[in-house]
Amino acid sequence: MTADPHAGWPAPPQAAPPGPVPPPWGPGPLAPVQVPVPVVPRNGQGMASLVLAGAAAAFCWTFALSVVGLVLGLLAMLFGIAGLVRAGQGLATNRGVALGGLWTGAGATAVSAVLTVVFFVWTAALTPVVSEAGADYLAAVGEEVTYEDGISVTIEEPSPMAGEGAASVTVRVVNGGEDTVGLGSPGIVAAVDGEEIEGRDVLRETDDVGELAPGDSREIRYRVALPEARPAYLSVDFSPGEDHAFAYWDLALEDAGEEGGPSPEEPGGPGGPGEEDTPGGPGDIPA
């Protein structure tokens, strides 16, 4: 019997049974995969800064509305700073827009601040209206409006200019004070039904008032174009001089009437008594 040549040798290792393959990074279960969520940039404040800065730049050059430009400019600066902070935190992507709004708002704020101060100083220097008429309520035809320096203003009833689509407005200025007052060029703004009449349609027919000595008076006449649908009232804002505040009137407009020929009630007019009806006229034949 032939001897086994492998007798006495160690037994070969047995193969391990098949099982789960461990992950390459080490033992344990598979970790869940997290997908990054995209971050939406928050660019609203930077954009708001630029829009407000544009509006502030438009208003800052207007004398009377410079205070509006001042407020808008300050808001533009605040939104611009907030936009830059968000951009620095990575929450916004429009850093350039926010920076532009910030600097534009700063420039508009500076210009508006200067003009606002000038406006309030100029307004404070104006001679105010001391009468209730023209200030506390709208003055009427013939109602006297008085200023602090003794100047008084009355406006007569507007007289329609037949055939011209306009009315003649006469303003009477009287110096009731003790000093000569330099009035210069008076100012007027007319409106109907809340709509301002264009300056070219309001023409002054007399010269500037100039200086007015104590006790002197001056009449200033204006030609005011009226719309085709003639209103019942004409609103007038009037200042007797550059250093005087505006006062306010609401003036009733009289009817224009017809040019040429007497009215029906006048003698000789249609329906009025004629020569035939007068005693001793051709129609009166003695019996």
Side-chain angles (χ1 to χ4, degrees):
M1 181 175 183
T2 305
D4 184 1
H6 300 288
W9 288 25
Q14 299 292 326
V21 178
W25 54 83
L30 294 176
V33 178
Q34 295 184 353
V35 179
V37 179
V39 179
V40 179
R42 301 168 63 184
N43 296 332
Q45 292 188 338
M47 183 60 65
S49 172
L50 189 62
V51 172
L52 290 170
F59 280 106
C60 73
W61 301 106
T62 59
F63 188 52
L65 296 178
S66 56
V67 64
V68 178
L70 179 61
V71 174
L72 293 176
L74 291 174
L75 290 175
M77 293 176 62
L78 292 176
F79 278 100
I81 294 173
L84 289 177
V85 171
R86 282 188 176 181
Q89 295 173 344
L91 301 177
T93 58
N94 60 344
R95 183 178 184 277
V97 173
L99 192 61
L102 173 62
W103 286 112
T104 305
T109 300
V111 175
S112 298
V114 173
L115 290 183
T116 299
V117 171
V118 173
F119 174 74
F120 280 105
V121 170
W122 174 77
T123 303
L126 293 178
T127 304
V129 178
V130 295
S131 62
E132 293 183 357
D136 294 343
Y137 64 87
L138 297 174
V141 171
E143 196 164 9
E144 187 177 71
V145 173
T146 308
Y147 287 82
E148 190 177 55
D149 57 358
I151 293 293
S152 63
V153 179
T154 55
I155 301 181
E156 301 176 2
E157 185 175 9
S159 176
M161 306 172 70
E164 297 188 23
S168 177
V169 178
T170 302
V171 182
R172 181 177 176 82
V173 183
V174 179
N175 185 0
E178 299 179 353
D179 300 320
T180 298
V181 178
L183 299 178
S185 179
I188 186 172
V189 177
V192 290
D193 298 331
E195 294 291 333
E196 181 178 335
I197 300 174
E198 295 185 11
R200 63 184 181 183
D201 292 329
V202 182
L203 303 177
R204 189 176 67 237
E205 296 181 335
T206 55
D207 296 333
D208 293 353
V209 177
E211 290 188 347
L212 204 60
D216 285 354
S217 64
R218 191 73 53 84
E219 287 189 349
I220 311 170
R221 289 187 302 276
Y222 293 90
R223 180 188 182 278
V224 181
L226 299 176
E228 294 182 2
R230 178 166 296 173
Y233 289 90
L234 176 68
S235 300
V236 172
D237 303 345
F238 180 78
S239 167
E242 299 172 353
D243 296 332
H244 288 70
F246 274 87
Y248 310 100
W249 281 262
D250 204 13
L251 309 173
L253 289 170
E254 63 182 26
D255 294 333
E258 296 292 335
E259 280 192 302
S263 66
E265 293 76 18
E266 294 177 347
E275 292 184 354
E276 301 81 18
D277 301 323
T278 56
D284 293 327
I285 302 175

